[in-house]
Amino acid sequence: MRILIAGAGVGGIVSALLLRQYGYDVQVFEQADGNSEIGAGVQLSPNAMRVLMQLGLYHDLAPLATEPHAATIRHHKTGAIYTRQVLRHLCRVNYKAPYFQFFRPDLMRVLLTAAHKAGVQINFGEKVSGYHQDAQAAYLQLQSTRAPAGDIIIAADGLHSPIRAQMLGDSPLRFGGAVAWRGVIEARLVKGQLPFEATLWAGKGKHFVAYYMQGAERYMQGAERINFVAVQRMQKMQKRRHHSDTNNYSANYSEGDNDELREAFAGWHSPVQNILAAAQHSTLWDLYDRPPSSTICDGRIALLGDAAHPTLPFAAQGAAMAIEDANVIAHTIKNHNRAQRAQGAQGKNYNAIALLTYQKIRKPRTAYITKTSRRALSLYHSAPPLKQAAFAYPALLRQQMKRIYGYDPLL
Ligand SMILES: Cc1cc2nc3c(=O)[nH]c(=O)nc-3n(C[C@H](O)[C@H](O)[C@H](O)COP(=O)(O)OP(=O)(O)OC[C@H]3O[C@@H](n4cnc5c(N)ncnc54)[C@H](O)[C@@H]3O)c2cc1C
């Protein structure tokens, strides 16, 4: 079995690692020249961390991560707490894995190193443009003249996947009604002002998220950093000069205007203003998702991660969904491959059946996350009485956490 993967983002590399663990020959094709991960934070909840732990990566990841004690939602001006949920203890005890916050390039470095060690062949600087297939194999079309063949193709090529466009037609992304500024500051610049929690300040039509990252190692050196995301409702996406076309993110972010950003959050709780005052640089993102799609595979080819089901970032689950997808697709491929060996291959395309099984398992889960992320935006941006009422029931919040963090597709 040879499996070809388009895209060396989190979804592509975790798929490659799991498939190697099951003994398959895996080749990855990535358009960028190396690790092109953007310099921002990413939170990984226990549903994703359990998969990375299964890969034996806990000890490589833990020193690079921060693990917040709690998640807190506060009033945007006074900082008064709407709701506070213990996170560290809850996740470790109930969901058997940590809730970790990373600097994305750190996370990708660990994943890429593990992939190299495991013998995954990663071809950088190879832009995928499409695919074709016949009864024997699937072929990846590259911008160079090569067309490598495999038994299965996994398209983990992100939000603007050309494989998705070919498979499903070029339906436009759905603008999420909001933009996000992202930035990173040195934690020492706002020393003592941000509790050791994932904190979200919620105002009308805006919210602001901040958390520490690059945990233990940097903390010892006093060089920890804080990631922030400042979100503002917008009727239309912003027309701006976009970054050059070097990576996948090119079409939806641009250089942020820090004066505009500070102006948008003027008068907010002092830690928010101080974080923004310390920010030297930010990027501005148009946020998108897609209505859930009933199809994410075609014969021997399957979409995975943002290529399959991009979601708004308000439940912090996009990368987690890509990791869950990887876990499910690797398992279904392995199981169907075993069945094929046991029963003989006559007349049946076990690879295509494996991908249909993957599609069936992932559809309800990812549709739920897409919907929950949209709802979270409306809730954070609603007027205080509604927010107060919604957050007055911590049991509901815990129920939602259980549904998201406690999910195990393979049980
Ligand atoms: C503001 C913001 C905050 C977020 N925070 C979180 C969070 O805290 N937690 C979380 O779980 N998720 C978060 N997300 C979502 C997360 O970033 C994505 O869902 C995740 O990166 C998707 O992973 P992926 O592997 O599917 O795609 P990507 O990470 O986009 O990787 C795709 C890869 O494919 C490559 N590629 C693209 N086109 C081609 C081509 N034609 N040929 C070859 N290679 C190609 C790209 O260069 C890239 O390396 C956030 C998103 C945003 C916008």
Side-chain angles (χ1 to χ4, degrees), residues 227-267:
N227 180 70
F228 71 82
V229 185
V231 177
Q232 182 173 16
R233 248 193 201 291
M234 290 275 169
Q235 290 310 316
K236 284 196 243 150
M237 52 191 231
Q238 302 294 287
K239 282 208 172 20
R240 289 179 299 266
R241 189 173 57 81
H242 285 298
H243 273 234
S244 62
D245 188 20
T246 50
N247 67 28
N248 184 51
Y249 306 106
S250 56
N252 55 312
Y253 85 91
S254 59
E255 208 62 38
D257 176 339
N258 278 7
D259 291 335
E260 188 192 335
L261 168 57
R262 287 179 194 123
E263 172 80 28
F265 289 82

Side-chain angles (χ1 to χ4, degrees), residues 7 9-11 30-31 43 104 128 156-157 182 248-249 305-306 316 318-320:
V10 66
E30 163 62 47
Q31 65 179 0
Q43 315 190 63
R104 293 183 70 120
V128 171
D157 48 350
R182 303 171 92 173
N248 184 51
Y249 306 106
D306 276 6

Side-chain angles (χ1 to χ4, degrees), residues 21 54 134-135 150 281 290 342 355:
Q21 213 176 41
Q54 179 194 320
D134 56 30
H281 171 74
R290 285 184 187 278
L355 299 189

Side-chain angles (χ1 to χ4, degrees), residues 262-304:
R262 287 179 194 123
E263 172 80 28
F265 289 82
W268 279 47
H269 191 209
S270 57
V272 173
Q273 295 199 65
N274 293 338
I275 289 171
L276 292 181
Q280 291 181 344
H281 171 74
S282 65
T283 49
L284 180 58
W285 294 63
D286 289 324
L287 302 176
Y288 302 101
D289 68 0
R290 285 184 187 278
S293 166
S294 56
T295 306
I296 54 166
C297 64
D298 166 21
R300 295 170 179 271
I301 295 95
L303 307 175
L304 181 144

Side-chain angles (χ1 to χ4, degrees), residues 333-367:
I333 289 172
K334 178 193 70 176
N335 290 344
H336 285 79
N337 196 231
R338 276 194 188 150
Q340 176 173 18
R341 271 181 292 175
Q343 293 161 23
Q346 288 87 342
K348 267 189 176 178
N349 185 343
Y350 280 86
N351 294 323
I353 299 169
L355 299 189
L356 283 170
T357 308
Y358 154 76
Q359 171 179 283
K360 188 170 168 210
I361 296 173
R362 295 308 289 156
K363 236 166 45 180
R365 169 71 170 167
T366 54

